[in-house]
Amino acid sequence: MKRVAGAGTPVPRQSFWRRWWKAGVVGVVCVLVVVVGLSLPGEEEGETGPPPRNARTVAAVDLGMWDCLVTQELLELSPADSRTVGEVTVADCGGPHGGEVFSRVSLVGTAAENEDGTFRGTAQAEDAARAACAEEFAEGMTDPYSHDFTVRVIHPASSEEWTVRQSAACWVSARGLPEYCLVCETKLTDDQEAFRRALVPYTRAWAGRPPEDASLGARQAWASTMERGIEEAAWLLRGKPELRRLGPEAGADLADALTAQIPYWREAAAAKDPEAHEKAVTEAELAHSAGGQVARARDLIGLAPVITE
């Protein structure tokens, strides 16, 4: 996750001649790599790697937990169409895939439904689905920080669809998923579970990130949610006895790194235009990744390094 991967520490600058000599060696190596690369057979234009295993088309209404999605077709749709698509392609999780269904959430009794049980509207269904899926992800994922993730939803978009399915599919896309199961259960130690539980408020807030075509108002509301989630997570990190016994880097230092984002989330919540909002969000992400506190905390409690590519 690029937001949380270790940033490393500064090193002394080398002398000019040593840097010049190394630069020359690097240049020669780059030339050789290019020459050899041009002489080897490569992928044909348009190829993206091995095909998914046992790919098949299913109705979105039939999607269930641990279905693995071939997301290219979804990513080629507009954001709105990808959230209301009727059919999707699924494949074996042991082969290349770009997303995984981690839950189906009921929309009955939520803002998606009128008092008489009829469909209230697409926007209301989406808001209800995103909130429910973010909660499911934060509470159910054993190690959400293992990847740079984006939680997405597929929900009813009309009264006709509402009569067929009064629920939404929750799925997550992430870097590094070609042959990796993100939502498979992983047994955590007490220390690792304490770390995960402390980060639940932050994870829940991040998982509720609105889609790219959301209004500025929705983005501002999300920024405020991020601020509250960070404050709650920092309080939990500083108070967990399981983490305190491992030293400050496992809890307190990570809490300090999280709270360093808060001024930027406040700027994002008060932004007057989308450009200012996105700039503040980017600054918040940079503040979170600087120093590598999350990477060190994960190492202290024996969690795998974060996958950033």
Side-chain angles (χ1 to χ4, degrees):
M1 188 180 295
K2 291 183 178 177
R3 296 182 299 279
V4 298
T9 55
V11 295
R13 298 185 68 180
Q14 298 172 334
S15 67
F16 170 79
W17 290 110
R18 181 172 293 182
R19 284 180 286 141
W20 180 90
W21 178 82
K22 287 186 175 182
V25 172
V26 171
V28 172
V29 171
C30 289
V31 171
L32 290 174
V33 169
V34 171
V35 171
V36 172
L38 291 175
S39 66
L40 294 174
E43 291 184 346
E44 295 294 330
E45 184 177 355
E47 288 187 2
T48 57
R53 297 178 186 171
N54 298 326
R56 57 202 180 277
T57 300
V58 301
V61 67
D62 295 327
L63 283 173
M65 190 169 179
W66 300 331
D67 277 338
C68 289
L69 303 176
V70 180
T71 58
Q72 187 58 41
E73 58 185 5
L74 291 174
L75 298 177
E76 289 173 352
L77 299 172
S78 69
D81 288 341
S82 68
R83 298 192 294 273
T84 59
V85 65
E87 293 185 333
V88 293
T89 303
V90 300
D92 289 353
C93 294
H97 61 282
E100 297 171 11
V101 178
F102 61 88
S103 184
R104 281 204 73 91
V105 294
S106 173
L107 300 180
V108 175
T110 69
E113 185 182 38
N114 291 314
E115 291 183 0
D116 61 358
T118 57
F119 185 60
R120 181 171 293 176
T122 301
Q124 291 84 351
E126 180 181 347
D127 289 344
R130 285 199 299 107
C133 290
E135 182 69 25
E136 288 280 315
F137 185 82
E139 291 293 335
M141 290 295 297
T142 54
D143 189 13
Y145 266 79
S146 61
H147 286 70
D148 184 3
F149 67 87
T150 301
V151 172
R152 303 170 186 264
V153 301
I154 300 176
H155 61 81
S158 65
S159 297
E160 292 74 21
E161 290 185 11
W162 179 257
T163 60
V164 176
R165 50 168 174 158
Q166 299 173 358
S167 63
C170 309
W171 63 283
V172 58
S173 63
R175 291 187 177 90
L177 281 184
E179 296 181 6
Y180 181 90
C181 181
L182 179 61
V183 300
C184 291
E185 294 185 2
T186 302
K187 177 129 180 100
L188 300 180
T189 66
D190 290 343
D191 295 338
Q192 293 168 346
E193 176 61 16
F195 178 79
R196 186 194 76 82
R197 292 299 310 173
L199 286 174
V200 161
Y202 179 89
T203 305
R204 181 191 298 115
W206 184 264
R209 183 172 190 166
E212 296 83 355
D213 57 346
S215 67
L216 178 59
R219 299 182 194 183
Q220 290 171 322
W222 170 64
S224 296
T225 300
M226 285 297 301
E227 179 184 349
R228 293 192 299 271
I230 288 169
E231 290 174 338
E232 185 179 351
W235 182 80
L236 290 170
L237 284 165
R238 293 188 177 106
K240 288 283 186 182
E242 301 94 333
L243 298 179
R244 285 206 304 270
R245 71 166 180 258
L246 297 174
E249 286 184 324
D253 285 0
L254 177 54
D256 291 341
L258 284 175
T259 55
Q261 301 178 62
I262 288 180
Y264 302 110
W265 288 115
R266 287 176 179 164
E267 288 183 19
K272 301 300 183 184
D273 56 72
E275 290 74 19
H277 172 85
E278 287 302 323
K279 180 179 179 182
V281 170
T282 299
E283 292 296 331
E285 293 173 347
L286 291 173
H288 183 49
S289 64
Q293 282 89 343
V294 172
R296 286 196 290 272
R298 290 178 64 86
D299 184 61
L300 281 170
I301 60 178
L303 286 171
V306 174
I307 295 176
T308 60
E309 296 297 339

